Amino acid sequence: MAEANYSIYSIPLYFILNFIPHTYSTLIVANGSAKNWDNANPKSTAVRDKFQKRVSAPTYQRWERARAAHHNGIENFSLLIAAVILGNMAKLDAGTMNWTFASYLLLRAIYIVAYIQITDRRLSFFRLRDITLRSTMSAPTRLDRFKQAMQIVYGPFDSLTTDQLAEWHPPGNSGGHRGRYLWTDAFGVLNFLTLYKETSDVKYLTLAQGLIDAVHAVLGSTRDGKSRLLRATDENPCAGGLRIGKIDGGGPDGDGQYHHYLTIWMFALNRTSVATGQAQYNDHAIALAKATHPHFFDDIGSPSPRMYWKIDMDMSRPIVASEGNADPLDGYIVFSLLAAAANDPQCLAAEIANYQRVIDRKGRHVVSHDMLDLGMSLWLAQWGPPSNTSAQQLGARCMDVFDDLVSTGSLEGNFHRRLAFRDFGAVLGLRCYLAEHSKYDLQIQQLIETWERMMKSQPEDLEAINQVMYAAALNPGGELNSSVYLFVCAQADDTFPAFRKGYLAPERRDEMDLGTTVSAGFPRIPRIG
């Protein structure tokens, strides 16, 4: 007598099994009594906020893990259904089907218990995604996710024809005034360069160059678009600086010029020259540096000058007179990169010396617990050669701060009060600074995965900067060389690459002094169209 096929029953059993962590999380909130649960608005942030205030941190974290286990089950439910249907369509024998899905339900039950109960990060490796059916199904690759994020901001660029590519203008989706925002578009340029590095497709260089032209046209002009900023011309579009792109025209949080936005744009221009072999972009960066530099300084000729964080659009006065934490180090490193790539290596010597005096006055760089500041500090630290003790000490202090964030549980929970792009900045810095594999791989991967689930809950006006920074954090630089299969990842494609081989980090670790790093041998690529 043939064995009966019970595999179809795994579908309702899975549903019931996956309802257990949901019920458990509800009972935690309701203090063990379902009648206290507000079913009228169960997903409101007010419910979550009140609950977090009245329970201990371990209880709140257990509730978060129970909810996460339930959501993980929902993500896998459709895959189970597909597997059952396909197995029966393929007429696999009943014994195989029964054993496979009974085993899966048992493993799923163990997974749920482990997900909720395990708090030790080392033991959390037992929560393998590989025991779910996701490991057997096709998932978007890292490069797919990178492109999807970029196309949310810059449109379906992979479907452009050659003629459309030659006439491409980036859509005004960057979240700023007249559609452009300097920070977002700087990382947009760098991400297009990363796509070129990954694929060797020169269309991505064309897209980077088109985005540069759009930024210079919009943010290098007055807010009404009727004229260039003071002293700027079509031939020298950066001579008047570049606006931030804030929606509001005035006030401390309105439009103006940020030092750290300008330096990241200079860096993007420098990297474009490195990628294309065309000096004009580094020349524009140097012109921008010389035009804006003196306006960010107070008492610039003194032995211990100070800096302003933000100046007016016409560079006539400071808007925020306080000094940015990373601005002097940021300026020192980026200006040094520009000079190293120029025909005259001394072209910015006076400006670099000004930054050095500010650094000397301030003493050692302060490392804060702010995720974006931490990430950008790590990004800066990587450019110092191994012989530079200040850079090495900065990197070590940054990692001490990150260790503190990990040990105190600050990386877990409260995501509804955090900003995704700031966390992505930390991931970017960590991936640029650390070795190819490190003890922080799990924390980095969990940050990425959590925000992949929660990004839609962020304010709509932050979507562009979140998506662009997400792409940069996925792969800051290109060349995903490693094929090592990470223990916690279902896809080998999710492993961490040798990030220092891309555009956001030095070309080779043993050539990290600024004079040799920038002039790495990229082919001279002519502009298309």
Side-chain angles (χ1 to χ4, degrees), residues 183 186-187 190 258-272 274 281-290 292-293 307 326-342 344-345 347-349 351-353 355-356 359 376-377 379-384 503-505 512-515 517-518:
W183 179 277
F187 277 92
L190 292 165
Y258 279 151
H259 183 274
H260 61 297
Y261 279 30
L262 293 171
T263 51
I264 200 67
W265 184 255
M266 294 174 206
F267 178 77
L269 292 175
N270 169 267
R271 298 288 91 181
T272 305
V274 171
Y281 298 105
N282 197 66
D283 292 343
H284 285 325
I286 292 173
L288 180 60
K290 285 186 170 293
T292 59
H293 176 82
M307 291 183 65
D327 283 359
L329 182 59
D330 195 11
Y332 179 88
I333 288 175
V334 172
F335 279 42
S336 296
L337 288 167
L338 304 184
D344 177 12
C347 62
L348 293 171
E351 289 82 0
I352 293 169
Y355 288 122
Q356 183 64 66
I359 292 170
M376 298 312 292
S377 295
W379 177 75
L380 292 172
Q382 68 166 330
W383 290 99
Y503 292 107
L504 277 163
M512 287 176 60
D513 76 275
L514 299 173
T517 299
V518 190

Side-chain angles (χ1 to χ4, degrees), residues 128-141:
L128 296 179
R129 291 192 299 165
D130 298 76
I131 68 174
T132 72
L133 291 178
R134 281 164 66 174
S135 62
T136 66
M137 306 298 288
S138 175
T141 66

